[in-house]
Amino acid sequence: MKKVLYIYGYGSNEKSNTAKSLQNILGDDYKVITVYYGQLQPNEAIEYLANYICENEIDAVIGSSLGGFYALQPFLDEIPTIVINPCMKPSVELPKIGCSAEIAERFKRYENYNMKKNVYGLFGTDDELIDYHTLFEKTFGKNSFSFFKSQHRPTESQLRNVKELIEQHI
């Protein structure tokens, strides 16, 4: 059984509906795990997630939105990673939803993704919050992502439509 760490996005938690949906669509061959992390404390969160991945022998990582930012950090370099509607520039996006400039500034030093390998991105065609597919393509290449019919928070049925892509990349 493959262990997949799902890193949820801003405002969500370890009881994320997306994590439940991923478990439902991936089935018994996968165990989708979520853990609490300090979303607005990137220094601590990155260290915590890196340790968790190593100590728990995680086979793959899926991150969405702000969780996608964390999943793209290079400490996961050898682990297959899928990001769903990733927030690649939290320093730009977080102030738009009320976070202070001080909090946003914490993220800037981690917004360079040149070292990351083994990544695949899924981008909703109707994402109403953010769109980083151009930056993702520039950083990871034109064959490293797909679009799928979804808003920012995909439903289980929308994730079922990309199940094969998810399984291919984890």
Side-chain angles (χ1 to χ4, degrees):
M1 175 182 303
K2 281 189 176 183
K3 291 193 277 185
V4 178
L5 177 64
Y6 173 69
I7 307 174
Y8 53 84
Y10 182 74
S12 190
N13 59 47
E14 59 274 20
K15 294 177 182 162
S16 162
N17 286 333
T18 302
K20 292 173 189 167
S21 294
L22 287 167
Q23 184 64 70
N24 289 340
I25 67 167
L26 292 173
D28 295 337
D29 292 335
Y30 298 87
K31 179 173 176 61
V32 178
I33 301 162
T34 59
V35 295
Y36 172 82
Y37 70 99
Q39 296 177 338
L40 299 179
Q41 301 292 333
N43 295 338
E44 293 85 356
I46 290 168
E47 181 178 348
Y48 172 76
L49 292 167
N51 289 334
Y52 187 89
I53 289 163
C54 291
E55 291 169 6
N56 293 279
E57 300 177 357
I58 299 298
D59 297 300
V61 173
I62 299 175
S64 64
S65 194
L66 186 61
F69 160 80
Y70 284 107
L72 290 173
Q73 297 307 305
F75 62 76
L76 306 172
D77 205 31
E78 300 304 315
I79 295 177
T81 301
I82 295 176
V83 292
I84 303 168
N85 298 322
C87 178
M88 294 179 71
K89 297 284 185 185
S91 66
V92 172
E93 301 302 329
L94 289 172
K96 294 177 185 177
I97 56 173
C99 287
S100 69
E102 177 187 343
I103 289 173
E105 186 67 28
R106 297 173 189 166
F107 289 86
K108 277 190 179 178
R109 68 183 253 197
Y110 300 106
E111 293 175 348
N112 180 355
Y113 304 101
N114 297 340
M115 302 296 291
K116 184 70 179 154
K117 298 178 181 79
N118 208 3
V119 174
Y120 195 77
L122 292 169
F123 292 86
T125 56
D126 301 317
D127 191 327
E128 73 284 11
L129 297 180
I130 58 173
D131 181 4
Y132 282 99
H133 83 272
T134 302
L135 176 58
F136 193 89
E137 179 179 12
K138 181 180 175 186
T139 305
F140 300 108
K142 66 181 179 178
N143 295 321
S144 65
F145 72 98
S146 296
F147 289 102
F148 71 117
K149 183 77 175 152
S150 169
Q151 290 187 313
H152 188 68
R153 293 173 187 85
T155 65
E156 186 168 327
S157 64
Q158 291 167 333
L159 288 170
R160 281 189 192 283
N161 292 335
V162 291
K163 177 185 179 185
E164 284 183 33
L165 281 172
I166 293 171
E167 288 182 319
Q168 243 175 36
H169 294 282
I170 59 173

